[in-house]
Amino acid sequence: MRRPVRHGTRAGEDIWSGSWVTERLGVELAGDESLPGLLGLALRRNPKRAHLLVSNVLGKHVPQSPSVVYGHGVALGRRVRELLGDSAEDAVVLGYAETATGLGHSVADGLGVAPYLHSTRRPVVGTATAGGFEESHSHATSHLLLPEDPSLLAGDGPLVLVDDEFSTGNTVLNTVRDLHARYPRGRYVVVALVDMRSPADTGRLDEFARGIGARIDLVTTASGTVRLPDGVLEKGQSLVARYEGAAGGGRASAGPSGPVAQFPAAPGSGPDRRLPGSGDGHLPQGARGVVESAATEAWARPAASGPHPADGPGRATRVDLRWPDGLPDGGRHGFTPAHRDRLEHALPDMAARLAEALPDDTRRVLVLGFEELMYTPLRLADELERTVRADVRFSTTTRSPVLAVDDPGYAIRTRLVFPAHDDPADGPGERYAYNVAGGGFDTVVAVVDSVADTPALHAPDGLLARLAAHTPQVLLAVVPSYVPAPRDAPKDARPDAPERPATMLPEPLRGPAFSSYAPEEVGWLLQDLSDVTLEAPTEEREEAIQSGGAHYAESLPVEYQPSEQYQELFHAALNESAARLAHAVGVVTETVLAELPHSRLRSGGETSIPRPVLVSLARAGTPVGILMRRWAQYRHHLDLPHYAVSIVRGRGIDANALRWLAAHHDPRDVVFVDGWTGKGAITRELAQAIEEFEKTEGVTGFDPEIAVLADPGSCVRTYGTREDYLIPSACLNSTVSGLISRTVLRADLVGPHDFHGAKFYRELAGADLSVAFLDAVSARFPEVTDAACAQAKELLSTDRTPTWEGWAAVERISEEYGIHDVNLVKPGVGETTRVLLRRVPWKVLARAGAGSDLDHVRLLAQQRGVPVEEVDGLPYTCVGLIHPRYTRGATGADGKAVTR
């Protein structure tokens, strides 16, 4: 029997978090007694519906025990399985963005045997749309269906539609109408936490089902109706305007939206609004927590040290989850039972990493999901709740604007406002996190996908900074954004697929175990030689190399420890050139995406985009590869795979790395990346090595063309600039390259079936600037986007055929200076820097009038006693000359003895 929800006055009852709206607008809930425990009420800026039903068990607006959130969804899924019987084996579950993506996935888990897909408001370039529909009362309406498997929705088994609330039925009608026209079937099941339809809406769904000749069942946790008095929309809008106007337009970063009592309100303050039936135990079997509304325990415990700004804007501690390779981050493109098994296996280890990152005194933790990314953070929170003693809660950010009122009878008590940080297709806008400020959390774990890990997330007004102002500790966990493979790609060519190891070859090394880069930034196709002593004094190495007794790749130079003055030069150079570098990164990345003919295209409607696999030449190319990957994420929402491989002059590229790449990706998709060109020796080396590899292995498709940031030698077609200027990553060695050494190729260390080797200098972590360099350049992407895209477009229409003028200049200099060996002539700022840091330099030739780009070169030359000679008409900014015919005590070509 249905009865209206009463707001009684019995002593000791909880305050219902919908009473504030009821008293002012007359909005009431009528129905099952469990409704007030499941729902509160709030008001929002929406021209279609002023009131908002705020779920206490959804994990969206109200922080809740993750076991309660997950338990409700799983329980509904079990009921659906009982309803469907044997036909459950053929079912597909479809959840609605953004609020029900996690609920729908949990229902699929309860069903156990069904694949899951959720609608999305994030277009994915190159992914075909399998359907779409509108949500009439939502703040953002258009839904897209983007399954990786086009047959997912094409079967005739039951389709299970999951939403958080079933209010009018319009969303379900729109969905079924669209999909039934494409893929007719005989049975649909609608699942929701609450069914709040009016009798008229109930009859409309029944009539629609008869019209299409299909059965439509309904499974909900509770049911009722919303009673709306006349004029409630206008009254609600007026009330919202009044409260937000008093708060300066409602754009505050935190806190209520208007003039209300101080927060938190003392128990019993204000009108006596009590909740009948609270604690009545209406929870699904298996839920381990207690349902909390925004008015109850969420406000009961202050944080350990109160609000605590972080050390700097957007400061957060990253936690590497080690997300399984190729596992989708959610159901945007489909999530199968096999995916579910992989996730279940990985969850305990990922939760353990989160637990290890929590401060020892943590008492109350919020795991905060990101808009549509609800399921993964929910499962992490649920597993964390099992792992730690702390009180764990879960909620998610949202794009839906809701009025915040600091009153225990209102469901949304505080609001954090921050800009969108995933470059949304519909343009920039505000995003919100509700009931987080003042929630007593001493740690917040923000979980986002890699598309959303942008400079805007870390900005002074970004989400992380907003959180840091209200909790002592902010952790950031980034899940790789899954992007479907091209339709015609074999499974092992998919960049995000579980990687199938090539014979006798291990998986790529990744940070933090190997390198200081995040694991998703680059996979190193190298072997770890960190425990082997490979360093030798520079003079000994040079003598052995020039005498023919050893190859430069058989040992390592002692890592240069920069002076304080030199470090200041690096930081000054980075600050001065970051925008210029960002521009070059944008130009080369846009060129790669627009032009490379071997990149197979993924079509979706009229849009096509290449899917390159970035392969950087370690180690100078690796920071550039990461920056290109970041640009593709920032500009195109592409999560490109990136690997680093070794290439050695005179020995060629690592053939085992090529074998691994060919086993896991289509060679036609591989784009080789380096930092800069000098005379073009590596360009020629790569072309020769690829040709040899094709002959010996019978594997074709690798293109030896290299994409570089700077091409002063005019040796390649794909570049960001042909200017010879300072790239700050050339100033340092491992401390700007992920703490990785140069690559090593020595017969006693590298066997015929091994990757080339390298060392990870963990002991230099205190001086590491690798990520700081990347972040400084990435932060300038927004300001250079238009110019970089325009220049890339212009370059695409010009003749960029290499002239090899750099090689000609090197040959000329080699003869003019009596060196007679082009390998000892290192043109360009980057190569000259390497000479001064790693080899025995003889002299530096500098273009007359060269400016601040050579400040660090002049300082290094001064420290090593190397003369700098100004030369008119030099095609490079500078050229470094390695001492010819070096032995200790020998003389150079000019007859001068080498003393240092």
Side-chain angles (χ1 to χ4, degrees), residues 760-820:
F760 175 26
Y761 292 115
R762 298 172 178 83
E763 65 275 16
L764 299 181
D768 188 24
L769 296 169
S770 305
V771 176
F773 168 71
L774 297 173
D775 289 347
V777 177
S778 301
R780 310 299 285 272
F781 286 171
E783 68 187 71
V784 303
T785 299
D786 292 343
C789 292
Q791 183 172 344
K793 185 177 181 180
E794 180 180 344
L795 283 175
L796 288 168
S797 63
T798 62
D799 180 9
R800 290 171 284 120
T801 303
T803 65
W804 294 93
E805 64 183 44
W807 188 275
V810 167
E811 289 181 325
R812 185 177 65 252
I813 291 170
S814 175
E815 295 305 312
E816 287 180 0
Y817 284 83
I819 298 173
H820 310 299

Side-chain angles (χ1 to χ4, degrees), residues 416-427:
L416 299 181
V417 184
F418 51 93
H421 51 89
D422 62 339
D423 192 20
D426 57 351

Side-chain angles (χ1 to χ4, degrees), residues 338-563:
H339 290 145
R340 185 177 301 120
D341 291 342
R342 290 190 67 207
L343 177 62
E344 294 294 342
H345 180 75
L347 275 172
D349 286 343
M350 292 192 289
R353 293 184 187 99
L354 289 177
E356 290 172 2
L358 295 176
D360 293 338
D361 60 350
T362 299
R363 294 179 299 152
R364 186 170 170 87
V365 181
L366 175 67
V367 178
L368 183 67
F370 157 63
E371 297 185 29
E372 293 178 9
L373 187 70
M374 294 187 70
Y375 177 75
T376 290
L378 170 61
R379 296 305 312 278
L380 289 169
D382 185 52
E383 194 66 33
L384 184 65
E385 189 177 36
R386 303 169 187 263
T387 305
V388 300
R389 292 173 178 256
D391 186 20
V392 179
R393 290 294 176 264
F394 168 73
S395 64
T396 359
T397 64
T398 177
R399 59 166 54 213
S400 178
V402 185
L403 178 73
V405 177
D406 183 11
D407 188 284
Y410 189 81
I412 303 295
R413 297 189 63 179
T414 63
R415 174 178 67 196
L416 299 181
V417 184
F418 51 93
H421 51 89
D422 62 339
D423 192 20
D426 57 351
E430 290 182 348
R431 298 296 185 263
Y432 311 91
Y434 296 111
N435 294 323
V436 176
F441 301 108
D442 41 28
T443 299
V444 175
V445 182
V447 183
V448 303
D449 60 19
S450 53
V451 167
D453 185 18
T454 63
L457 175 69
H458 302 265
D461 62 344
L463 171 62
L464 298 181
R466 295 294 190 231
L467 294 173
H470 295 278
T471 185
Q473 180 73 34
V474 178
L475 303 180
L476 174 63
V478 180
V479 179
S481 301
Y482 183 84
V483 178
R487 293 281 172 83
D488 60 345
K491 183 178 180 181
D492 59 0
R494 190 176 69 229
D496 301 288
E499 292 170 338
R500 174 174 56 82
T503 303
M504 302 182 70
L505 293 176
E507 293 296 286
L509 301 174
R510 296 184 183 273
F514 187 82
S515 90
S516 59
Y517 293 133
E520 67 272 13
E521 302 259 47
V522 60
W524 302 84
L525 296 177
L526 298 169
Q527 62 168 313
D528 188 354
L529 299 179
S530 299
D531 295 331
V532 182
T533 300
L534 294 165
E535 292 76 13
T538 301
E539 290 78 7
E540 288 183 13
R541 292 184 74 247
E542 194 65 49
E543 182 176 10
I545 292 168
Q546 291 199 31
S547 68
H551 191 277
Y552 77 88
E554 294 178 350
S555 63
L556 293 173
V558 177
E559 278 290 307
Y560 170 70
Q561 298 300 306
S563 65

Side-chain angles (χ1 to χ4, degrees), residues 636-683:
H636 299 286
H637 296 168
L638 289 174
D639 192 14
L640 301 182
H642 174 214
Y643 306 100
V645 302
S646 169
I647 186 169
V648 176
R649 180 174 50 80
R651 305 285 181 87
I653 196 167
D654 187 343
N656 285 316
L658 292 183
R659 292 186 187 102
W660 191 96
L661 289 167
H664 294 78
H665 301 283
D666 189 327
R668 294 174 299 165
D669 287 342
V670 169
V671 177
F672 293 103
V673 176
D674 207 357
W676 56 85
T677 63
K679 56 184 174 288
I682 291 298
T683 304

Side-chain angles (χ1 to χ4, degrees), residues 169-185:
N170 288 335
T171 303
V172 168
L173 287 176
N174 290 334
T175 309
V176 174
R177 182 180 293 111
D178 178 85
L179 291 179
H180 198 77
R182 299 173 183 234
Y183 318 112
R185 65 188 73 227

